[in-house]
């Protein structure tokens, strides 16, 4: 296979020349050169033009686009065009259209109007993909396959009869018998027992709460169904063009699709990122860290970001000058080897005509948006040789589990204030503030190379996870987990005999009762000694905790469980396992993360002023590239480690310290 990222930071964006007359294409080539674009994502929504009638294909326009890109030394990130089927297809195959949980069949007229389990959709998509792959297999422009687009972004689940039949097959593969399914789902409750497979349905709308096991399995099944759509195309591409890497664009922490399960099937992870202007730096960084973590640190591609405003918020302010650049560098800083936009030229018509583009409706290079994109393009070209292929390195892992996410947010959970990704972010934010590198991993991942593992809300313990965590702590690791952990098994069945189930031995505690608080209920954690000495407000949740070998660091101040443990630590083998029985204040979590990093001998990349983000990427030759991002509105001076550095953006040699302007960045290579 070709190197996913040859020694070039990929730069460009979605390019839709089919929306424009061909004289505009020539102007696009001139402007792409000006902006140092080296890759264009094409053909993403071209199915209707490629196949205007059933089995009548026309590729002449795409031929000309591919040839033009090759002539201009611009790589094609060639999409398979299957994300929006032509309108004639839903007329010919009405069952191809997806059905909502309420039973409404959706229409064409926007995009993504297909049932993931539609045999007709998969067959038609496969045929198109085969023809594309055969036609362009040896085309010099083809460098990357872009399968479909943003799987599940509008239709993450379909409830039609085809899906019902496919769900039953999926369940038959998961459970060896209907009896096993009945046990897993707990169907003795509410007289839900199944005596025949044909009675098993998707969790369609019903009088009240659907069975939680059924709901959970349907989320697994739908993520797998979308994956099967991807694989249907990817298998054809691998067969015909085994040398060309394959990707599909993810959407950050997107709940309906288990990206950990998908990642092994992609050659390159790519991500679409559209943070609002109000999203703080740590909150964009966590998504970047998730992306590099999905394939064990392999560099990823930022497939889409907006040059300025988007079109789908209630109001869509510009990205202020400098923000696009800083966010682009933040992706590089966290492991990206490519920065791309949606889109190259702003559409004249259609639902996204007010979404910003590198070439605005003005149609020329004489404006802020184009010029900032051109500046970035020139900088990335300059950085390429020194950055491409280098990797981030973390000693801290936050555990994240999509299946846990689905289970914990079942609508009838103990508190509708529990939001899994929000909890993960709550613990990530202080680590980011400390400039500590973080990976996000599944709970059954190999934790050998980590010193500190944080596992918020580990409600579901899938097989092997308790042992994995015990092994990690036993050999000297520091683990922190929180309230409402260790509650259920992989089938969402409660672990009997006392919470936190299989984590009880590791944590050295027993939770007698958990207490989900209303918004006006609060408490305090009192810590009477040690580095966290103080009284901290806490919210959301309380628990009645008994010590079984652990030591209480902090206790609840109020309510009937006043003086009961709220923060505990348990020596287990060579390491320690911490437990937080409530939602501590940001101040407490910041202090706790600092303390745990110290105990685990995890150091910040560098000590820098507040508002400066610093990361490092390590090259294959062992040399370190430092990224400094000034997220503040004033210049900051940063002290450097001993030694000399090359400032890669201006070629100057620096040592001891560096000043970084407001909203500016610096990239230093250790000499
Ligand atoms: Zn369906």
């Amino acid at each position: 296979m070709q190197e996913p990222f040859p020694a070039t930071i990929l730069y460009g964006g979605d390019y839709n020349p089919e929306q424009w007359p061909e004289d505009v294409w020539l102007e696009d080539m001139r402007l792409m050169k000006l902006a140092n674009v080296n890759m264009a994502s094409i053909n993403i929504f071209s199915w209707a033009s490629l196949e205007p009638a059933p089995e009548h294909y026309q590729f002449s326009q795409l031929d000309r686009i591919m040839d033009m890109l090759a002539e201009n030394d611009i790589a094609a990130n060639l999409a398979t065009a299957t994300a929006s089927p032509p309108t004639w297809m839903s007329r010919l195959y009405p069952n191809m259209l997806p059905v909502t949980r309420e039973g409404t069949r959706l229409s064409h007229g926007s995009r993504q109007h297909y049932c993931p389990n539609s045999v007709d959709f998969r067959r038609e998509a496969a045929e198109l993909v085969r023809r594309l792959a055969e036609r362009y297999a040896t085309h010099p422009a083809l460098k990357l396959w872009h399968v479909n687009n943003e799987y599940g972004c509008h239709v993450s689940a379909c409830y039609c009869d085809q899906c019902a039949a496919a769900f039953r097959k999926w369940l038959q593969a998961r459970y060896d018998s209907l009896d096993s399914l009945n046990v897993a789902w707990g169907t003795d409750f509410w007289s839900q027992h199944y005596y025949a497979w044909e009675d098993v349905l998707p969790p369609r709308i019903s009088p009240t709460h659907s069975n939680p096991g059924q709901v959970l399995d349907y989320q697994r099944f739908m993520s797998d169904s979308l994956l099967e759509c991807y694989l249907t195309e990817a298998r054809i591409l691998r067969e015909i063009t085994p040398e060309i890497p394959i990707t599909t664009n993810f959407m950050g922490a997107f709940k309906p699709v288990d990206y950990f399960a998908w990642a092994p099937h992609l050659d390159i992870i790519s991500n679409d990122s559209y943070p609002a202007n109000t999203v703080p730096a740590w909150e964009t960084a966590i998504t970047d860290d998730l992306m590099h973590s999905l394939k064990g640190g392999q560099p990823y591609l930022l497939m889409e970001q907006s040059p300025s405003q988007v079109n789908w918020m209630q109001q869509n302010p510009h990205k202020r000058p400098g923000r696009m650049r800083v966010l682009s560098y933040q992706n590089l800083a966290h492991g990206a080897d490519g920065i791309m936009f949606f889109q190259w030229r702003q559409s004249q018509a259609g639902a996204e005509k007010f979404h910003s583009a590198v070439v605005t409706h003005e149609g020329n290079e004489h404006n802020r948006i184009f010029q900032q994109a051109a500046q970035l393009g020139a900088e990335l070209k300059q950085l390429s040789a020194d950055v491409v292929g280098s990797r981030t390195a973390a000693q801290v892992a936050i555990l994240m589990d999509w299946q846990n996410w689905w289970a914990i947010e079942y609508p009838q959970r103990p508190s509708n204030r529990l939001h899994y990704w929000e909890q993960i972010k709550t613990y990530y934010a202080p680590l980011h503030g400390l400039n500590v590198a973080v990976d996000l991993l599944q709970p059954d991942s190999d934790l050998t190379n980590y010193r500190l593992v944080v596992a918020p809300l580990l409600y579901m313990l899938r097989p092997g996870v308790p042992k994995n965590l015990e092994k990690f702590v036993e050999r000297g690791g520091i683990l922190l987990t929180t309230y409402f952990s260790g509650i259920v098994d992989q089938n969402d069945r409660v672990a009997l005999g006392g919470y936190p189930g299989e984590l009880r031995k590791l944590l050295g505690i027993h939770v007698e009762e958990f207490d989900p608080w209303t918004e006006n209920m609060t408490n305090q954690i009192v810590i009477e000694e040690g580095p966290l000495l103080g009284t901290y407000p806490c919210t959301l949740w309380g628990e009645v905790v008994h010590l079984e070998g652990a030591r209480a660091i902090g206790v609840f101040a109020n309510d009937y469980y006043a003086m009961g443990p709220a923060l505990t630590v348990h020596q287990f083998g060579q390491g320690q396992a911490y437990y937080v029985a409530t939602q501590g204040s940001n101040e407490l979590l910041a202090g706790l993360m600092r303390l745990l990093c110290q105990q685990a001998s995890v150091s910040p990349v560098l000590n820098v002023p507040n508002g400066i983000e610093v990361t490092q990427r390590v090259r294959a030759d062992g040399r370190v590239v430092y990224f400094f991002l000034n997220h503040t509105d004033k210049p900051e001076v940063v002290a450097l480690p001993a030694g000399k550095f090359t400032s890669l953006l201006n070629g100057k040699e620096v040592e001891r310290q560096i000043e970084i302007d407001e909203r500016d960045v610096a990239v230093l290579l250790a000499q």
Side-chain angles (χ1 to χ4, degrees):
M1 179 169 303
Q2 291 178 7
E3 263 297 301
F5 296 104
T8 307
I9 296 175
L10 298 174
Y11 189 59
D14 282 23
Y15 179 40
N16 298 297
E18 62 278 1
Q19 296 174 11
W20 300 94
E22 296 199 17
D23 57 328
V24 175
W25 302 4
L26 297 177
E27 176 66 355
D28 284 325
M29 292 302 102
R30 183 185 74 83
L31 292 169
M32 284 190 189
K33 292 284 179 201
L34 268 184
N36 282 292
V37 163
N38 55 37
M39 174 171 270
S41 306
I42 58 168
N43 205 44
I44 295 176
F45 292 103
S46 301
W47 197 346
S49 67
L50 295 175
E51 194 179 359
E55 293 179 44
H56 175 70
Y57 294 91
Q58 54 182 29
F59 290 103
S60 56
Q61 188 184 50
L62 185 55
D63 290 347
R64 292 197 297 283
I65 294 167
M66 289 288 282
D67 291 349
M68 176 180 70
L69 292 177
E71 283 160 19
N72 286 276
D73 265 342
I74 294 169
N77 172 26
L78 181 56
T80 56
T82 54
S84 190
T87 49
W88 55 258
M89 203 175 290
S90 43
R91 170 165 42 81
L92 277 189
Y93 311 112
N95 289 339
M96 188 199 79
L97 294 167
V99 173
T100 65
R101 185 164 181 257
E102 292 75 18
T104 303
R105 194 173 285 280
L106 302 179
S107 174
H108 66 237
S110 58
R111 64 178 191 178
Q112 212 170 76
H113 46 279
Y114 58 85
C115 158
N117 288 296
S118 163
V119 175
D120 295 318
F121 168 73
R122 287 200 193 166
R123 183 194 62 245
E124 295 291 326
E127 182 59 30
L128 176 65
V129 171
R130 182 167 293 282
R131 285 169 186 265
L132 278 168
E134 284 171 347
R135 190 168 191 93
Y136 300 108
T138 58
H139 197 286
L142 178 63
K143 297 295 180 198
L144 180 62
W145 284 113
H146 178 300
V147 173
N148 197 278
N149 183 63
E150 296 184 336
Y151 274 107
C153 70
H154 309 300
V155 179
S156 59
C158 173
Y159 296 82
C160 76
D161 289 342
Q162 292 173 96
C163 285
F167 184 42
R168 287 189 282 269
K169 272 180 80 173
W170 183 92
L171 290 168
Q172 283 163 354
R174 182 176 178 86
Y175 300 104
D176 53 11
S177 68
L178 199 51
D179 285 345
S180 302
L181 178 142
N182 277 307
V183 171
W185 288 8
T187 54
D188 290 338
F189 187 77
W190 281 357
S191 183
Q192 292 171 345
H193 196 94
Y194 292 100
Y195 292 97
W197 279 106
E198 57 263 41
D199 294 336
V200 179
L201 295 172
R204 292 171 177 158
I205 196 126
S206 60
T208 183
H209 317 317
S210 295
N211 178 293
Q214 178 192 19
V215 172
L216 175 61
D217 272 343
Y218 208 68
Q219 286 168 298
R220 289 171 170 143
F221 162 70
M222 267 299 148
S223 179
D224 284 358
S225 298
L226 290 166
L227 175 58
E228 196 52 42
C229 287
Y230 166 83
L231 289 172
T232 300
E233 298 189 22
R235 286 185 198 110
I236 296 167
L237 300 174
R238 289 216 191 286
E239 172 200 327
I240 300 171
T241 59
E243 294 298 311
I244 303 296
I246 303 173
T247 190
T248 185
N249 44 346
F250 289 167
M251 294 166 286
F254 180 62
K255 184 180 168 187
V257 178
D258 181 353
Y259 288 151
F260 281 121
W262 285 51
H265 305 287
L266 277 67
D267 298 315
I268 300 168
I269 299 297
S270 51
N271 189 42
D272 295 354
S273 180
Y274 292 100
N277 287 343
T278 50
V279 172
W282 63 264
E283 204 171 340
T284 46
I286 189 174
T287 307
D288 305 343
D289 282 341
L290 174 62
M291 290 302 133
H292 81 234
S293 300
L294 286 172
K295 277 186 94 70
Q298 180 186 303
Y300 67 95
L301 172 58
L302 176 64
M303 183 67 85
E304 293 183 22
Q305 67 168 340
S306 63
S308 185
Q309 75 228 92
V310 296
N311 67 306
W312 40 263
M313 297 179 186
Q314 292 296 308
Q315 298 85 33
N316 298 280
H318 297 160
K319 276 183 180 167
R320 265 41 198 173
R323 181 164 169 81
M324 181 280 285
R325 180 167 174 264
V326 170
L327 288 178
S328 299
Y329 276 95
Q330 191 179 44
N331 273 276
L332 289 184
H334 288 263
D337 270 0
I339 305 292
M340 311 273 283
F341 295 104
F342 177 85
Q343 64 175 329
W344 170 254
R345 180 178 282 274
Q346 195 166 20
S347 299
Q348 186 177 15
E352 293 184 306
K353 61 183 177 295
F354 294 122
H355 191 293
S356 60
V358 176
V359 180
T360 68
H361 286 147
E362 284 187 6
N364 59 46
E365 66 270 42
H366 309 297
N367 54 71
R368 176 181 75 94
I369 292 178
F370 184 91
Q371 285 168 11
Q372 66 182 14
Q375 180 198 339
L376 180 63
E379 290 175 359
L380 297 182
K381 186 177 180 186
Q382 194 173 334
L383 290 176
S384 282
D386 285 307
V387 170
V388 166
S390 60
R391 291 181 172 227
T392 57
Q395 296 173 323
V396 178
I398 294 183
L399 302 188
M400 179 193 179
D401 183 343
W402 255 268
Q403 298 184 41
N404 183 49
W405 192 355
W406 298 331
I408 210 167
E409 294 187 7
Y410 172 71
Q412 283 67 50
R413 58 195 182 277
S415 169
N416 65 1
R417 300 171 71 206
L418 288 186
H419 300 288
Y420 183 52
W421 181 243
E422 293 304 312
Q423 284 299 309
I424 288 176
K425 289 196 293 190
T426 298
Y427 284 86
Y428 178 88
L431 290 166
H432 182 267
L434 291 169
N435 284 294
V436 164
V438 174
D439 288 340
L440 287 101
L441 303 179
Q442 298 196 92
D444 55 358
S445 303
D446 180 359
L447 302 173
T448 310
N449 293 328
Y450 297 89
R451 295 179 177 177
L452 170 62
V453 168
V454 182
L457 277 187
L458 197 54
Y459 163 76
M460 171 186 285
L461 294 178
R462 290 193 283 121
V465 170
K467 283 275 171 281
N468 196 38
L469 298 181
E470 283 179 11
K471 199 172 83 183
F472 168 72
V473 179
E474 230 163 17
R475 63 159 185 79
I478 306 284
L479 171 75
L480 171 82
T481 188
T482 74
Y483 58 92
F484 209 42
S485 289
I487 305 296
V488 299
D489 67 11
Q490 62 177 337
N491 294 318
D492 204 25
R493 291 174 62 91
V494 172
L496 300 179
Y499 315 129
E502 289 185 87
L503 296 180
R504 192 167 163 177
K505 187 174 100 185
L506 172 59
L507 295 168
I509 56 162
H510 163 214
V511 177
E512 184 180 334
E513 290 184 79
F514 53 75
D515 187 19
W517 297 339
T518 60
E519 279 187 35
N520 55 9
M521 292 171 76
T522 59
N523 206 321
Q524 289 175 310
I525 302 179
V526 179
I527 298 176
E528 291 191 329
E529 58 181 20
L532 296 174
L533 175 73
T535 300
Y536 303 89
C538 56
T539 56
L540 205 66
W541 194 274
E543 290 185 339
V544 180
V545 178
H546 303 286
L547 302 175
E548 293 180 342
R551 177 169 63 84
I553 298 172
V555 295
F556 286 107
N558 307 308
D559 215 323
Y560 81 95
Y561 41 88
M563 301 308 291
L567 171 60
T568 66
V569 59
H570 185 221
Q571 183 74 34
F572 188 85
Q574 302 296 308
Q576 284 100 35
Y578 285 79
Y579 184 77
V580 194
T582 180
Q583 182 66 37
S585 64
N586 289 344
E587 183 195 358
L588 175 62
L589 296 192
L592 188 56
M593 288 298 110
R594 190 178 300 113
L595 177 68
L596 298 192
C597 283
Q598 284 165 4
Q599 287 188 1
S601 302
V602 172
S603 307
V605 174
L606 285 176
N607 289 309
V608 291
N610 279 342
I612 299 287
E613 177 176 1
V614 56
T615 73
Q616 58 183 20
R617 290 178 63 169
V618 183
R619 307 194 326 185
D621 63 6
R623 294 177 71 184
V624 175
V625 183
Y626 289 89
F627 289 82
F628 297 90
L629 314 175
N630 184 351
H631 295 292
T632 75
D633 291 322
K634 59 181 176 39
E636 294 283 1
V637 174
V638 176
L640 299 175
K644 291 181 177 174
F645 299 84
T646 306
S647 177
L648 295 177
L649 287 173
N650 59 21
K652 289 184 182 162
E653 191 174 282
V654 291
E655 56 185 323
R656 287 197 298 279
Q657 65 178 42
I658 184 171
E659 181 169 328
I660 307 166
D661 282 343
E662 65 271 23
R663 305 275 162 202
D664 200 2
V665 303
V667 185
L668 303 187
L669 173 64
Q671 290 183 358

